[in-house]
Amino acid sequence: MTEIRTPLRRRPAQRRSAERVQRMLDACADILDEDGYDGLTTTRIAQRAEVAIGSVYQFFPDKRAVAQALALRNLEVFGQRISARLAAGAFADWSDTVGVIIEIFVEMHRTVPGFRVLRFGDVADVNLLDSDADNNAVVADRLREMIVETFGVQDTPGLATALAIAVEAGDAVLKMAFRRDPDGDPLIVAEAERLIHGYLAGHIQEA
């Protein structure tokens, strides 16, 4: 499993400090939506969060670290939403979860502040989530863990490779969908689901 290191200089020890950090992340998300990553600065984060600039540097060394913390929060929300749907759903096999996963991703793109710009961090750094693995690899690793736990499938190198390929393919096609339509071109989104589900279903048959 990929171990993700925290971008925080120190963890907030008190509830007030934790709430302040969340305000900084919320501010980062709002600025990303307004002006993109190039428009993000620690000064703007402090102003939008209504905290002193020293409070930002108390927890984060630079804007990249704030973006990293926001990307990790995005990944956590993504994982929580998928886990909830997997627990509630009835799927014939694990490849049938593709539609749910894409649906959650698209909904986050539409509704979660900052997600349409940052997503899981590529706009800032392809290794933002972990210095030893690219962002898509970290996402694929989280999906693998959930699938193994939920469906009891064997955790093999072949499964890891299949999910890594599925995430890369899905990322590319969904980027195309959002380039064509800010809310995601529904035809392209549907094709992404068909493409990835077909690939993963074929992987199961060959296993």
Side-chain angles (χ1 to χ4, degrees), residues 38-61:
D38 289 342
L40 186 68
T41 66
T42 51
T43 299
R44 290 192 68 189
I45 291 169
Q47 291 171 343
R48 181 64 62 91
E50 297 183 342
V51 299
I53 187 66
S55 292
V56 176
Y57 288 123
Q58 183 180 13
F59 294 101
F60 300 103

Side-chain angles (χ1 to χ4, degrees), residues 5 7 11 45 57 70 84 87 96 102 122 132 165 178 189 205:
R5 292 179 285 276
R11 294 185 181 276
I45 291 169
Y57 288 123
L70 181 60
D96 292 332
I102 289 178
D122 279 11
D132 298 325
I165 291 171
F178 288 111
V189 171
Q205 292 170 2

Side-chain angles (χ1 to χ4, degrees), residues 43-112:
T43 299
R44 290 192 68 189
I45 291 169
Q47 291 171 343
R48 181 64 62 91
E50 297 183 342
V51 299
I53 187 66
S55 292
V56 176
Y57 288 123
Q58 183 180 13
F59 294 101
F60 300 103
D62 50 33
K63 76 171 189 178
R64 181 187 182 279
V66 185
Q68 183 183 11
L70 181 60
L72 288 168
R73 188 172 77 173
N74 288 343
L75 181 62
E76 184 67 20
V77 171
F78 186 58
Q80 289 172 351
R81 293 185 181 185
I82 292 172
S83 292
R85 291 290 295 276
L86 295 187
F91 302 95
D93 58 57
W94 62 266
S95 70
D96 292 332
T97 64
V98 170
V100 165
I101 293 170
I102 289 178
E103 177 186 330
I104 290 169
F105 180 88
V106 170
E107 182 63 19
M108 288 182 65
H109 200 286
R110 293 170 177 165
T111 63
V112 174

Side-chain angles (χ1 to χ4, degrees), residues 131-199:
S131 60
D132 298 325
D134 63 47
N135 300 325
N136 280 344
V138 175
V139 173
D141 195 51
R142 287 294 176 89
L143 292 175
R144 179 185 55 77
E145 291 173 356
M146 286 186 281
I147 286 168
V148 168
E149 180 179 352
T150 303
F151 295 95
V153 299
Q154 189 175 1
D155 191 1
T156 64
L159 175 65
T161 299
L163 288 172
I165 291 171
V167 169
E168 287 289 345
D171 183 52
V173 178
L174 290 171
K175 281 178 180 175
M176 177 183 176
F178 288 111
R179 281 199 307 269
R180 295 190 174 197
D181 183 335
D183 288 328
D185 184 318
L187 294 177
I188 303 299
V189 171
E191 285 300 299
E193 179 180 346
R194 189 161 73 95
L195 174 73
I196 300 166
H197 181 269
Y199 166 70

Side-chain angles (χ1 to χ4, degrees), residues 109-122:
H109 200 286
R110 293 170 177 165
T111 63
V112 174
F115 189 78
R116 67 179 177 83
V117 175
L118 183 65
R119 308 211 300 182
F120 301 116
D122 279 11

